[in-house]
Amino acid sequence: HDYWLEPVSALAGRGDELILHLNMGERLATEEERPLQKDRIIRFDLYGDRSGRRDLLTAGVDGQTPVARVRMENTAALVIMDRKVQSITMEPAKFNAYLAEEGLEAIIAQRARLGQVDAPGKENYQRFLKTLVQERDPSAESANTLYKRRVGERLEILLENNPGRLGPDGKLRVKIVFEGNPLVGAKVFACRRSANGQPPVVVSAVTTAKGLVELKLDQPGFWLVRTVHMRATNANPRSDAQWESCWAAYSFAARMMPPAPAASVSPKQG
């Protein structure tokens, strides 16, 4: 399952109440809303466009739903939640299907080389979540750089251009960083929740040697960009997990700006 942060409104203004939900599901289809679980979170912070960091974990109440209700002190905000490592064991068929669905072909091949295709998958996993709350007026977004702010997550999604001011082609440039370095060959997904019973829209691409992908968002709306990185790990006295994975998810409202008007050409004077 995916986890993602979802504000009631991804467009806000100074003085508005920011209500933030933590949802679990797949492809932005919420199956369960999760409460604030302080013992499972490393940090839960809000960064404002005109102020510093605000600690939402200390200010929150354990078990509360939604996970945050705060007054916007700025015209835009970036909220992050880094969760602690959890462990899971999955039966072979389910684990193999999950690897294939997430585009983790290298792990599938590695399991085959180790003769583990028919063995359960024992995994330690950690989640790194971001959501962007933008100013309502898109014309004011040009000065907002929170969308690309680097906060030092172990697996971090960075947006290279402003999702609130995309061109008519909807192209969004994304960089994936793992432990401070560009992540090569990672499959990155972007999903938009569709309305009227239509299936969600999903696009994907694989990162280059510089950790970059370009995703074409087809329409404005609420989007989730997500990726998973997995590698083998050595067992320790407290865990016999063979694999460790990091999950990153970045949610935001995408807006497409109209093309610039063509420059008028004055007729030549005779």
Side-chain angles (χ1 to χ4, degrees):
H1 288 86
D2 298 325
Y3 275 57
W4 68 93
L5 293 169
E6 183 167 348
V8 169
S9 176
L11 305 175
R14 184 181 288 110
D16 288 353
E17 185 181 32
L18 171 59
I19 303 173
L20 195 64
H21 297 275
L22 174 61
N23 292 331
M24 182 187 76
E26 293 184 7
R27 298 187 175 188
L28 285 179
T30 302
E31 297 180 15
E32 183 180 350
E33 181 177 356
R34 305 296 293 164
L36 184 68
Q37 298 168 292
K38 289 192 170 186
D39 61 340
R40 295 194 177 188
I41 298 172
I42 298 172
R43 60 174 176 165
F44 184 24
D45 294 335
L46 181 150
Y47 295 87
D49 60 341
R50 295 177 176 85
S51 65
R53 181 183 68 88
R54 183 174 177 182
D55 182 354
L56 300 182
L57 184 60
T58 301
V61 176
D62 196 40
Q64 70 184 24
T65 305
V67 290
R69 284 179 177 266
V70 295
R71 192 66 57 185
M72 288 280 289
E73 298 174 351
N74 302 269
T75 54
L78 176 68
V79 183
I80 69 160
M81 178 186 285
D82 296 349
R83 296 177 66 82
K84 294 180 181 178
V85 175
Q86 300 290 313
S87 299
I88 190 172
T89 299
M90 300 173 68
E91 61 184 36
K94 189 173 182 180
F95 191 66
N96 294 333
Y98 141 57
L99 296 177
E101 183 176 351
E102 297 298 337
L104 297 170
E105 285 83 3
I107 304 301
I108 294 173
Q110 191 170 356
R111 274 171 57 85
R113 288 194 301 270
L114 296 172
Q116 296 178 354
V117 173
D118 297 321
K122 299 179 181 180
E123 176 187 358
N124 292 333
Y125 65 94
Q126 188 173 15
R127 299 184 186 273
F128 302 93
L129 314 178
K130 286 183 178 179
T131 193
L132 180 67
V133 180
Q134 302 169 75
E135 189 167 342
R136 289 192 189 91
D137 180 5
S139 65
E141 284 291 332
S142 58
N144 178 18
T145 59
L146 276 176
Y147 65 88
K148 61 181 179 181
R149 180 156 186 170
R150 194 164 180 165
V151 297
E153 293 172 312
R154 188 180 183 200
L155 179 65
E156 187 163 7
I157 298 173
L158 301 170
L159 306 186
E160 297 281 291
N161 59 314
N162 195 332
R165 291 183 58 85
L166 295 176
D169 58 6
K171 289 182 179 178
L172 179 69
R173 297 183 301 277
V174 177
K175 185 173 185 178
I176 307 299
V177 176
F178 179 68
E179 295 183 342
N181 299 307
L183 185 60
V184 183
K187 193 164 187 179
V188 183
F189 299 86
C191 176
R192 174 176 60 82
R193 180 185 289 133
S194 296
N196 303 319
Q198 296 299 311
V201 174
V202 180
V203 296
S204 64
V206 176
T207 56
T208 67
K210 294 183 178 181
L212 297 169
V213 294
E214 186 174 83
L215 301 167
K216 188 171 183 179
L217 312 189
D218 69 329
Q219 289 183 28
F222 190 72
W223 284 82
L224 178 70
V225 173
R226 53 177 294 277
T227 191
V228 182
H229 178 56
M230 181 182 287
R231 65 183 182 182
T233 184
N234 295 322
N236 62 60
R238 292 176 296 176
S239 172
D240 60 352
Q242 304 143 321
W243 310 98
E244 63 173 1
S245 65
C246 293
W247 297 61
Y250 195 148
S251 56
F252 54 83
R255 293 183 287 190
M256 283 68 171
M257 305 303 290
S264 59
V265 179
S266 301
K268 293 183 179 180
Q269 298 297 319

